[in-house]
Protein backbone atom coordinates (compact mmCIF):
# COMPACT_ATOMS: atom_id res chain seq x y z
CA UNK A 1 0.00 0.00 0.00
CA UNK A 2 1.33 3.37 -0.91
CA UNK A 3 2.02 5.53 2.11
CA UNK A 4 0.26 8.85 2.06
CA UNK A 5 1.79 10.32 5.23
CA UNK A 6 2.82 12.98 6.33
CA UNK A 7 5.16 13.16 8.98
CA UNK A 8 3.35 13.92 9.16
CA UNK A 9 -0.24 14.57 9.14
CA UNK A 10 -3.31 12.38 9.12
CA UNK A 11 -3.52 10.05 6.14
CA UNK A 12 -5.64 11.51 3.40
CA UNK A 13 -6.84 8.55 1.38
CA UNK A 14 -9.74 8.99 -0.95
CA UNK A 15 -11.84 6.36 0.74
CA UNK A 16 -12.55 5.41 4.30
CA UNK A 17 -11.84 1.90 5.42
CA UNK A 18 -11.06 0.35 8.72
CA UNK A 19 -9.54 -2.94 9.62
CA UNK A 20 -10.33 -4.64 12.88
CA UNK A 21 -8.03 -7.45 13.79
CA UNK A 22 -8.36 -9.44 16.98
CA UNK A 23 -5.52 -11.77 17.84
CA UNK A 24 -5.12 -13.90 20.93
CA UNK A 25 -1.51 -13.46 21.99
CA UNK A 26 0.50 -16.24 23.67
CA UNK A 27 3.80 -16.51 25.57
CA UNK A 28 5.38 -15.15 28.78
CA UNK A 29 6.15 -11.52 29.66
CA UNK A 30 9.73 -10.23 29.72
CA UNK A 31 10.73 -9.70 33.35
CA UNK A 32 12.38 -6.39 32.50
CA UNK A 33 9.05 -4.91 31.43
CA UNK A 34 7.61 -5.11 34.94
CA UNK A 35 3.91 -5.09 35.73
CA UNK A 36 1.27 -4.37 38.32
CA UNK A 37 0.02 -6.92 40.79
CA UNK A 38 -3.53 -5.66 40.44
CA UNK A 39 -4.04 -6.87 36.87
CA UNK A 40 -6.77 -5.21 34.84
CA UNK A 41 -8.21 -3.17 37.69
CA UNK A 42 -4.94 -1.42 38.48
CA UNK A 43 -4.50 0.84 35.48
CA UNK A 44 -1.41 2.89 36.14
CA UNK A 45 -2.25 6.26 37.63
CA UNK A 46 -0.86 8.75 35.13
CA UNK A 47 1.33 6.06 33.55
CA UNK A 48 3.73 5.33 36.44
CA UNK A 49 5.38 1.96 36.09
CA UNK A 50 4.30 -0.86 38.37
CA UNK A 51 6.84 -3.01 40.18
CA UNK A 52 5.16 -6.38 40.48
CA UNK A 53 4.54 -9.22 38.05
CA UNK A 54 1.86 -8.66 35.43
CA UNK A 55 -1.42 -10.48 35.93
CA UNK A 56 -2.25 -13.50 33.79
CA UNK A 57 -5.94 -12.60 33.67
CA UNK A 58 -7.33 -12.25 30.11
CA UNK A 59 -7.16 -8.65 28.90
CA UNK A 60 -7.99 -6.86 25.66
CA UNK A 61 -6.06 -3.83 24.34
CA UNK A 62 -7.89 -1.68 21.79
CA UNK A 63 -5.42 0.08 19.50
CA UNK A 64 -6.57 2.82 17.10
CA UNK A 65 -4.08 4.18 14.54
CA UNK A 66 -3.85 6.30 11.40
CA UNK A 67 -0.96 4.43 9.78
CA UNK A 68 -2.41 1.98 7.24
CA UNK A 69 0.95 1.64 5.50
CA UNK A 70 2.17 -0.27 8.57
CA UNK A 71 -0.75 -2.71 8.82
CA UNK A 72 1.36 -5.74 7.93
CA UNK A 73 4.18 -4.63 10.22
CA UNK A 74 1.80 -4.12 13.15
CA UNK A 75 0.29 -7.56 12.55
CA UNK A 76 3.79 -9.03 12.56
CA UNK A 77 4.70 -7.69 15.99
CA UNK A 78 1.31 -8.71 17.38
CA UNK A 79 1.91 -12.23 16.11
CA UNK A 80 5.42 -12.29 17.60
CA UNK A 81 4.05 -11.15 20.94
CA UNK A 82 2.08 -14.42 20.98
CA UNK A 83 5.31 -16.00 22.12
CA UNK A 84 5.59 -13.55 25.00
CA UNK A 85 2.17 -12.97 26.58
CA UNK A 86 -0.56 -15.62 26.34
CA UNK A 87 -3.47 -13.79 27.95
CA UNK A 88 -3.57 -10.59 25.90
CA UNK A 89 -5.85 -9.88 22.95
CA UNK A 90 -5.09 -6.85 20.78
CA UNK A 91 -7.86 -5.32 18.68
CA UNK A 92 -6.16 -3.26 15.98
CA UNK A 93 -8.34 -0.68 14.22
CA UNK A 94 -6.78 1.32 11.39
CA UNK A 95 -8.68 4.19 9.83
CA UNK A 96 -7.60 5.49 6.44
CA UNK A 97 -9.38 8.86 6.45
CA UNK A 98 -11.06 11.25 8.88
CA UNK A 99 -8.92 9.78 11.64
CA UNK A 100 -8.69 13.02 13.66
CA UNK A 101 -12.45 13.53 13.56
CA UNK A 102 -13.20 9.99 14.65
CA UNK A 103 -10.57 10.06 17.42
CA UNK A 104 -11.98 13.28 18.87
CA UNK A 105 -15.47 11.76 18.70
CA UNK A 106 -14.30 8.68 20.60
CA UNK A 107 -12.66 10.83 23.28
CA UNK A 108 -15.72 13.10 23.61
CA UNK A 109 -18.01 10.09 24.03
CA UNK A 110 -15.84 8.59 26.77
CA UNK A 111 -14.64 5.69 24.63
CA UNK A 112 -10.98 6.70 24.31
CA UNK A 113 -9.01 3.76 22.88
CA UNK A 114 -6.40 2.09 25.08
CA UNK A 115 -3.77 3.06 22.49
CA UNK A 116 -4.29 5.84 19.94
CA UNK A 117 -2.21 7.91 17.54
CA UNK A 118 -1.65 11.66 17.24
CA UNK A 119 0.94 13.90 15.70
CA UNK A 120 3.91 14.78 17.89
CA UNK A 121 5.30 18.13 18.98
CA UNK A 122 2.53 20.56 19.95
CA UNK A 123 -0.08 17.81 19.93
CA UNK A 124 1.82 16.08 22.73
CA UNK A 125 0.37 18.77 24.99
CA UNK A 126 -3.03 18.78 23.26
CA UNK A 127 -3.71 15.20 24.33
CA UNK A 128 -1.69 15.29 27.57
CA UNK A 129 -4.70 14.79 29.84
CA UNK A 130 -5.47 11.47 28.15
CA UNK A 131 -1.91 10.17 28.00
CA UNK A 132 0.01 7.91 30.36
CA UNK A 133 3.32 9.25 31.63
CA UNK A 134 6.04 7.07 30.09
CA UNK A 135 9.00 9.05 31.39
CA UNK A 136 10.39 6.31 33.64
CA UNK A 137 9.58 3.38 31.36
CA UNK A 138 12.24 1.30 29.56
CA UNK A 139 10.76 2.37 26.21
CA UNK A 140 11.57 6.02 27.00
CA UNK A 141 15.15 5.16 27.89
CA UNK A 142 15.47 3.27 24.60
CA UNK A 143 14.48 6.27 22.43
CA UNK A 144 17.10 8.35 20.70
CA UNK A 145 17.49 11.80 22.25
CA UNK A 146 15.99 13.63 19.30
CA UNK A 147 12.97 11.36 19.13
CA UNK A 148 12.40 11.57 22.88
CA UNK A 149 12.33 15.35 22.61
CA UNK A 150 9.56 15.06 20.01
CA UNK A 151 7.56 12.88 22.45
CA UNK A 152 8.01 15.17 25.47
CA UNK A 153 5.42 17.61 26.81
CA UNK A 154 6.11 21.20 27.79
CA UNK A 155 6.41 20.12 31.42
CA UNK A 156 9.06 17.51 30.61
CA UNK A 157 7.02 14.29 30.57
CA UNK A 158 7.36 11.63 27.88
CA UNK A 159 3.74 11.14 26.81
CA UNK A 160 4.13 9.45 23.43
CA UNK A 161 6.05 6.73 21.66
CA UNK A 162 6.90 6.90 17.95
CA UNK A 163 6.16 4.34 15.26
CA UNK A 164 9.31 5.49 13.48
CA UNK A 165 11.95 8.10 13.07
CA UNK A 166 11.41 10.19 9.98
CA UNK A 167 13.26 11.93 7.16
CA UNK A 168 11.83 14.84 5.16
CA UNK A 169 13.83 15.83 2.12
CA UNK A 170 13.88 16.84 -1.51
CA UNK A 171 14.03 13.52 -3.37
CA UNK A 172 15.69 13.27 -6.77
CA UNK A 173 16.28 10.80 -9.59
CA UNK A 174 20.05 10.47 -9.92
CA UNK A 175 19.94 9.27 -13.52
CA UNK A 176 17.78 12.16 -14.73
CA UNK A 177 20.10 14.70 -13.14
CA UNK A 178 23.11 12.98 -14.70
CA UNK A 179 21.37 12.92 -18.10
CA UNK A 180 20.98 16.70 -17.80
CA UNK A 181 24.64 17.20 -16.90
CA UNK A 182 23.94 17.93 -13.22
CA UNK A 183 26.59 16.45 -10.94
CA UNK A 184 25.04 17.39 -7.57
CA UNK A 185 21.57 18.47 -6.44
CA UNK A 186 21.14 22.23 -6.02
CA UNK A 187 21.97 23.87 -2.69
CA UNK A 188 21.13 27.47 -3.58
CA UNK A 189 18.35 29.23 -5.45
CA UNK A 190 20.74 30.15 -8.29
CA UNK A 191 21.79 26.51 -8.67
CA UNK A 192 18.13 25.43 -8.68
CA UNK A 193 17.27 27.83 -11.48
CA UNK A 194 20.27 26.64 -13.47
CA UNK A 195 19.29 22.99 -12.97
CA UNK A 196 15.71 23.63 -14.06
CA UNK A 197 17.03 25.08 -17.33
CA UNK A 198 19.36 22.09 -17.86
CA UNK A 199 16.59 19.58 -17.20
CA UNK A 200 14.11 21.24 -19.53
CA UNK A 201 16.77 21.50 -22.23
CA UNK A 202 16.75 17.68 -22.14
CA UNK A 203 12.92 17.66 -22.10
CA UNK A 204 12.87 16.41 -18.49
CA UNK A 205 10.12 17.78 -16.22
CA UNK A 206 11.81 19.12 -13.09
CA UNK A 207 9.14 18.55 -10.40
CA UNK A 208 6.58 15.97 -9.34
CA UNK A 209 4.15 17.41 -6.78
CA UNK A 210 1.24 16.19 -4.66
CA UNK A 211 -0.48 19.50 -4.06
CA UNK A 212 -3.91 17.91 -3.77
CA UNK A 213 -2.78 16.79 -0.28
CA UNK A 214 -2.83 19.39 2.50
CA UNK A 215 -0.01 17.78 4.49
CA UNK A 216 2.75 17.93 1.87
CA UNK A 217 2.87 21.71 2.25
CA UNK A 218 4.11 21.60 5.84
CA UNK A 219 6.98 19.31 4.88
CA UNK A 220 8.22 21.88 2.36
CA UNK A 221 7.50 24.96 4.46
CA UNK A 222 9.44 23.77 7.53
CA UNK A 223 12.71 23.96 5.59
CA UNK A 224 12.07 27.66 5.01
CA UNK A 225 11.02 28.18 8.63
CA UNK A 226 14.36 26.73 9.74
CA UNK A 227 16.28 29.08 7.45
CA UNK A 228 14.24 32.09 8.55
CA UNK A 229 14.92 31.25 12.19
CA UNK A 230 18.64 30.97 11.52
CA UNK A 231 18.65 34.32 9.75
CA UNK A 232 16.85 35.84 12.74
CA UNK A 233 19.34 34.31 15.18
CA UNK A 234 16.73 32.30 17.05
CA UNK A 235 15.59 28.68 17.28
CA UNK A 236 12.80 27.51 14.94
CA UNK A 237 10.59 26.79 17.95
CA UNK A 238 10.95 30.40 19.09
CA UNK A 239 10.16 31.74 15.62
CA UNK A 240 7.02 29.61 15.35
CA UNK A 241 5.91 30.81 18.77
CA UNK A 242 6.39 34.40 17.66
CA UNK A 243 4.00 33.76 14.76
CA UNK A 244 1.51 32.06 17.08
CA UNK A 245 1.72 35.05 19.44
CA UNK A 246 1.39 37.54 16.58
CA UNK A 247 4.77 39.09 17.35
CA UNK A 248 6.28 38.71 13.88
CA UNK A 249 5.15 38.63 10.25
CA UNK A 250 6.33 37.30 6.91
CA UNK A 251 7.57 40.83 6.14
CA UNK A 252 10.26 40.30 8.77
CA UNK A 253 11.51 37.13 7.06
CA UNK A 254 12.31 37.33 3.31
CA UNK A 255 12.96 33.57 3.23
CA UNK A 256 9.28 33.05 4.00
CA UNK A 257 7.75 36.00 2.17
CA UNK A 258 9.78 35.62 -1.02
CA UNK A 259 11.86 32.44 -1.22
CA UNK A 260 9.14 30.01 -0.17
CA UNK A 261 6.53 31.41 -2.53
CA UNK A 262 9.05 31.66 -5.36
CA UNK A 263 9.92 28.00 -4.89
CA UNK A 264 6.26 26.97 -4.98
CA UNK A 265 5.76 29.05 -8.12
CA UNK A 266 8.73 27.28 -9.74
CA UNK A 267 7.42 23.81 -8.86
CA UNK A 268 4.04 24.63 -10.38
CA UNK A 269 5.43 26.28 -13.52
CA UNK A 270 8.02 23.56 -14.08
CA UNK A 271 6.10 20.62 -12.64
CA UNK A 272 3.72 17.89 -13.70
CA UNK A 273 0.33 18.98 -15.08
CA UNK A 274 -2.76 19.78 -12.98
CA UNK A 275 -0.97 20.07 -9.62
CA UNK A 276 -4.17 20.30 -7.57
CA UNK A 277 -5.29 16.96 -9.00
CA UNK A 278 -2.08 15.11 -8.12
CA UNK A 279 -2.31 13.27 -4.80
CA UNK A 280 0.43 11.40 -3.00
CA UNK A 281 0.03 8.18 -4.97
CA UNK A 282 0.06 10.06 -8.27
CA UNK A 283 3.24 11.88 -7.28
CA UNK A 284 4.95 8.63 -6.34
CA UNK A 285 3.91 7.12 -9.65
CA UNK A 286 5.07 10.16 -11.64
CA UNK A 287 8.47 10.14 -9.96
CA UNK A 288 8.96 6.37 -10.08
CA UNK A 289 8.21 6.29 -13.80
CA UNK A 290 10.82 8.96 -14.50
CA UNK A 291 8.30 11.66 -15.39
CA UNK A 292 10.04 14.18 -13.12
CA UNK A 293 13.49 14.69 -11.66
CA UNK A 294 12.55 15.98 -8.18
CA UNK A 295 9.80 14.98 -5.77
CA UNK A 296 8.54 17.63 -3.33
CA UNK A 297 6.89 17.47 0.08
CA UNK A 298 7.74 13.88 0.89
CA UNK A 299 10.25 11.69 2.72
CA UNK A 300 11.74 8.30 3.43
CA UNK A 301 8.36 6.59 3.83
CA UNK A 302 7.88 6.64 0.05
CA UNK A 303 10.95 4.65 -0.95
CA UNK A 304 9.37 1.21 -0.93
CA UNK A 305 6.37 2.44 -2.92
CA UNK A 306 8.67 4.04 -5.49
CA UNK A 307 10.71 0.86 -5.85
CA UNK A 308 7.66 -1.33 -6.22
CA UNK A 309 7.06 0.56 -9.45
CA UNK A 310 10.70 0.94 -10.52
CA UNK A 311 12.98 -1.45 -8.60
CA UNK A 312 16.15 -0.18 -10.27
CA UNK A 313 15.57 3.54 -9.81
CA UNK A 314 18.50 5.43 -8.28
CA UNK A 315 17.16 7.73 -5.59
CA UNK A 316 19.01 10.64 -3.99
CA UNK A 317 18.11 12.96 -1.14
CA UNK A 318 18.96 16.62 -0.52
CA UNK A 319 17.92 19.61 1.51
CA UNK A 320 15.75 22.22 -0.17
CA UNK A 321 17.69 25.12 -1.75
CA UNK A 322 15.98 27.72 0.41
CA UNK A 323 18.36 30.66 -0.04
CA UNK A 324 21.73 31.72 -1.42
CA UNK A 325 23.41 30.02 1.56
CA UNK A 326 24.29 26.41 0.66
CA UNK A 327 24.60 25.43 4.32
CA UNK A 328 20.88 26.10 4.75
CA UNK A 329 20.00 23.26 2.38
CA UNK A 330 19.44 20.68 5.10
CA UNK A 331 17.54 17.44 5.35
CA UNK A 332 15.10 17.27 8.27
CA UNK A 333 14.91 14.33 10.67
CA UNK A 334 12.90 13.48 13.78
CA UNK A 335 9.59 11.89 14.80
CA UNK A 336 6.31 13.52 13.88
CA UNK A 337 3.83 10.79 14.81
CA UNK A 338 3.15 9.46 18.31
CA UNK A 339 1.24 6.56 19.79
CA UNK A 340 -0.39 7.39 23.12
CA UNK A 341 -1.49 5.09 25.93
CA UNK A 342 -4.76 6.13 27.56
CA UNK A 343 -3.84 6.81 31.18
CA UNK A 344 -7.38 5.95 32.34
CA UNK A 345 -7.50 2.63 30.52
CA UNK A 346 -8.05 -0.45 32.68
CA UNK A 347 -5.29 -2.13 30.67
CA UNK A 348 -2.81 0.76 30.65
CA UNK A 349 -0.19 -1.37 32.42
CA UNK A 350 -0.52 -4.17 29.90
CA UNK A 351 -0.31 -1.74 26.99
CA UNK A 352 2.85 -0.17 28.45
CA UNK A 353 4.34 -3.64 28.96
CA UNK A 354 3.63 -4.44 25.31
CA UNK A 355 5.52 -1.41 24.02
CA UNK A 356 8.33 -1.85 26.54
CA UNK A 357 8.82 -5.25 24.97
CA UNK A 358 8.80 -3.85 21.43
CA UNK A 359 11.30 -1.11 22.27
CA UNK A 360 13.76 -3.21 24.29
CA UNK A 361 13.67 -6.78 22.96
CA UNK A 362 15.95 -8.22 20.30
CA UNK A 363 12.88 -8.73 18.14
CA UNK A 364 11.84 -5.13 18.51
CA UNK A 365 15.24 -3.78 17.53
CA UNK A 366 15.07 -5.63 14.24
CA UNK A 367 11.32 -5.08 13.73
CA UNK A 368 11.79 -1.40 12.93
CA UNK A 369 14.52 -2.08 10.39
CA UNK A 370 13.56 -5.40 8.83
CA UNK A 371 9.78 -5.65 9.17
CA UNK A 372 8.43 -2.08 9.21
CA UNK A 373 11.49 -0.92 7.25
CA UNK A 374 11.52 2.48 8.92
CA UNK A 375 14.21 4.61 10.52
CA UNK A 376 14.37 3.21 14.07
CA UNK A 377 13.37 5.67 16.81
CA UNK A 378 15.45 3.70 19.32
CA UNK A 379 19.13 3.39 20.07
CA UNK A 380 21.27 0.44 18.98
CA UNK A 381 18.98 -0.60 16.12
CA UNK A 382 20.24 -0.97 12.54
CA UNK A 383 18.96 1.17 9.71
CA UNK A 384 16.74 -0.54 7.11
CA UNK A 385 18.37 -1.70 3.90
CA UNK A 386 17.04 1.25 1.91
CA UNK A 387 18.75 4.06 0.00
CA UNK A 388 17.31 7.10 1.74
CA UNK A 389 18.10 6.09 5.34
CA UNK A 390 21.61 5.06 4.33
CA UNK A 391 22.21 8.38 2.57
CA UNK A 392 20.79 10.18 5.61
CA UNK A 393 23.32 8.42 7.82
CA UNK A 394 26.19 9.52 5.56
CA UNK A 395 24.96 13.11 5.28
CA UNK A 396 24.63 13.46 9.05
CA UNK A 397 28.26 12.45 9.53
CA UNK A 398 29.33 15.83 8.14
CA UNK A 399 26.20 18.01 8.22
CA UNK A 400 23.60 18.78 10.85
CA UNK A 401 19.95 17.97 10.41
CA UNK A 402 17.37 20.71 10.16
CA UNK A 403 14.83 21.01 12.96
CA UNK A 404 11.51 19.18 12.63
CA UNK A 405 9.73 22.50 12.98
CA UNK A 406 6.35 21.13 11.86
CA UNK A 407 6.12 19.83 15.43
CA UNK A 408 5.86 23.34 16.89
CA UNK A 409 2.41 23.98 15.37
CA UNK A 410 -0.71 21.85 15.57
CA UNK A 411 -2.09 19.97 12.60
CA UNK A 412 -5.20 22.15 12.77
CA UNK A 413 -2.93 24.97 11.60
CA UNK A 414 -1.08 22.83 9.07
CA UNK A 415 -4.31 21.71 7.46
CA UNK A 416 -5.52 25.29 7.14
CA UNK A 417 -2.10 26.28 5.80
CA UNK A 418 -2.33 23.60 3.12
CA UNK A 419 -5.81 24.73 2.11
CA UNK A 420 -4.61 28.34 1.79
CA UNK A 421 -1.67 27.29 -0.37
CA UNK A 422 -3.95 25.19 -2.57
CA UNK A 423 -6.09 28.29 -3.13
CA UNK A 424 -2.95 30.30 -3.89
CA UNK A 425 -1.69 28.01 -6.65
CA UNK A 426 -5.26 27.60 -7.90
CA UNK A 427 -5.40 31.35 -8.44
CA UNK A 428 -8.23 32.20 -6.05
CA UNK A 429 -5.90 33.91 -3.56
CA UNK A 430 -3.14 36.39 -4.24
CA UNK A 431 0.17 36.10 -2.43
CA UNK A 432 -0.52 38.90 0.04
CA UNK A 433 -3.93 37.47 0.85
CA UNK A 434 -2.45 34.01 1.38
CA UNK A 435 0.23 35.41 3.69
CA UNK A 436 -2.31 37.34 5.77
CA UNK A 437 -4.52 34.28 6.12
CA UNK A 438 -1.56 32.06 7.10
CA UNK A 439 -0.54 34.53 9.80
CA UNK A 440 -4.11 34.68 11.12
CA UNK A 441 -4.40 30.89 11.07
CA UNK A 442 -1.17 30.56 13.03
CA UNK A 443 -2.63 32.69 15.80
CA UNK A 444 -5.98 30.88 15.73
CA UNK A 445 -4.89 27.26 15.37
CA UNK A 446 -1.15 27.10 15.99
CA UNK A 447 -1.12 26.24 19.67
CA UNK A 448 -2.95 23.96 22.09
CA UNK A 449 -3.26 26.83 24.60
Amino acid sequence: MLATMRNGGVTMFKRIASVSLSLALVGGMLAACGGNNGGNDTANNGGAAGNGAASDKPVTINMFTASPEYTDAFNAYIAEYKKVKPNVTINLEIMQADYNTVLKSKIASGSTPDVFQTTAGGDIDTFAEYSADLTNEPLAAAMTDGVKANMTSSDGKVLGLPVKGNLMTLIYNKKLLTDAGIAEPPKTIAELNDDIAKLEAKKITPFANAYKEWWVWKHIFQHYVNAAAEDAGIAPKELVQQFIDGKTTFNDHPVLKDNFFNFIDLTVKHGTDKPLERDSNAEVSDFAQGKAAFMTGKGAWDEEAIKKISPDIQIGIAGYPVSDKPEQAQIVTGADQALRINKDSKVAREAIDFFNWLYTSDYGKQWFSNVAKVIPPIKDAPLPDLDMPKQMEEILKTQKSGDLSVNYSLDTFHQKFGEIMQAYIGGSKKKDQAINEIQTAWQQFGSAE
Side-chain angles (χ1 to χ4, degrees), residues 109-429:
S109 67
S111 56
T112 305
D114 303 311
V115 180
F116 59 96
Q117 182 174 334
T118 73
T119 49
D123 273 330
I124 293 294
D125 283 338
T126 305
F127 293 89
E129 65 181 290
Y130 310 105
S131 303
D133 183 356
L134 307 173
T135 307
N136 297 317
E137 294 295 335
L139 63 87
M143 292 180 197
T144 62
D145 292 342
V147 162
K148 185 185 291 186
N150 298 145
M151 300 295 121
T152 300
S153 64
S154 57
D155 59 357
K157 295 178 182 178
V158 177
L159 300 182
L161 54 107
V163 175
K164 63 186 185 304
N166 222 337
L167 165 67
M168 290 82 165
T169 176
L170 189 64
I171 302 168
Y172 64 94
N173 183 318
K174 289 183 176 181
K175 183 179 183 300
L176 292 184
L177 263 64
T178 299
D179 290 347
I182 301 168
E184 298 288 339
K187 292 185 177 182
T188 66
I189 294 172
E191 290 176 356
L192 175 64
N193 287 323
D194 186 52
D195 289 349
I196 288 172
K198 289 179 178 178
L199 288 164
E200 291 186 335
K202 294 291 185 179
K203 301 191 182 304
I204 299 169
T205 299
F207 298 103
N209 306 306
Y211 289 157
K212 187 175 182 178
E213 310 282 8
W214 64 264
W215 49 266
V216 300
W217 298 93
K218 66 180 180 178
H219 294 320
I220 300 172
F221 187 59
Q222 69 179 338
H223 295 265
Y224 291 82
V225 170
N226 290 344
E230 181 180 294
D231 289 347
I234 58 178
K237 185 174 185 179
E238 183 178 350
L239 176 60
V240 170
Q241 192 61 49
Q242 287 181 4
F243 275 108
I244 292 171
D245 294 339
K247 294 180 178 179
T248 191
T249 69
F250 276 51
N251 286 331
D252 300 324
H253 308 282
V255 168
L256 302 182
K257 182 183 178 182
D258 299 321
N259 298 12
F260 169 68
F261 280 89
N262 289 342
F263 176 78
I264 297 302
D265 291 344
L266 284 174
T267 64
V268 171
K269 181 178 180 180
H270 304 281
T272 45
D273 292 338
K274 300 180 179 179
L276 289 175
E277 296 180 19
R278 308 306 288 167
D279 64 8
S280 178
N281 291 349
E283 181 186 30
V284 166
S285 178
D286 290 340
F287 181 79
Q289 294 180 66
K291 294 180 179 179
F294 294 102
M295 190 161 120
T296 64
K298 307 299 276 308
W301 60 88
D302 275 325
E303 180 167 345
E304 281 206 288
I306 292 168
K307 289 188 172 178
K308 283 181 181 178
I309 298 172
S310 298
D312 297 328
I313 191 171
Q314 298 176 39
I315 297 173
I317 63 172
Y320 285 76
V322 297
S323 68
D324 60 358
K325 302 174 183 177
E327 66 273 13
Q328 290 186 334
Q330 298 174 338
I331 62 173
V332 168
T333 62
D336 60 336
Q337 295 290 310
L339 294 177
R340 320 293 281 266
I341 296 172
N342 176 9
K343 71 179 180 63
D344 297 319
S345 165
K346 291 184 178 181
V347 295
R349 182 67 257 167
E350 287 81 0
I352 292 171
D353 288 342
F354 173 53
F355 287 105
N356 276 333
W357 166 80
L358 181 67
Y359 273 59
T360 62
S361 67
D362 289 340
Y363 173 81
K365 288 181 179 181
Q366 64 84 32
W367 176 84
F368 291 102
S369 305
N370 299 332
V371 181
K373 295 185 179 179
V374 297
I375 297 168
I378 59 175
K379 305 168 187 173
D380 303 322
L383 286 171
D385 187 21
L386 295 171
D387 289 340
M388 285 195 263
K390 289 179 178 178
Q391 291 178 38
M392 176 198 75
E393 184 178 39
E394 288 302 310
I395 288 170
L396 295 182
K397 287 179 180 178
T398 58
Q399 302 174 34
K400 67 178 182 178
S401 168
D403 201 343
L404 189 65
S405 54
V406 293
N407 275 350
Y408 304 133
S409 304
L410 304 185
D411 256 6
T412 47
F413 162 74
H414 289 308
Q415 183 164 353
K416 184 65 175 178
F417 175 82
E419 292 167 357
I420 293 168
M421 292 305 301
Q422 287 168 337
Y424 168 72
I425 67 168
S428 62
K429 293 186 192 300

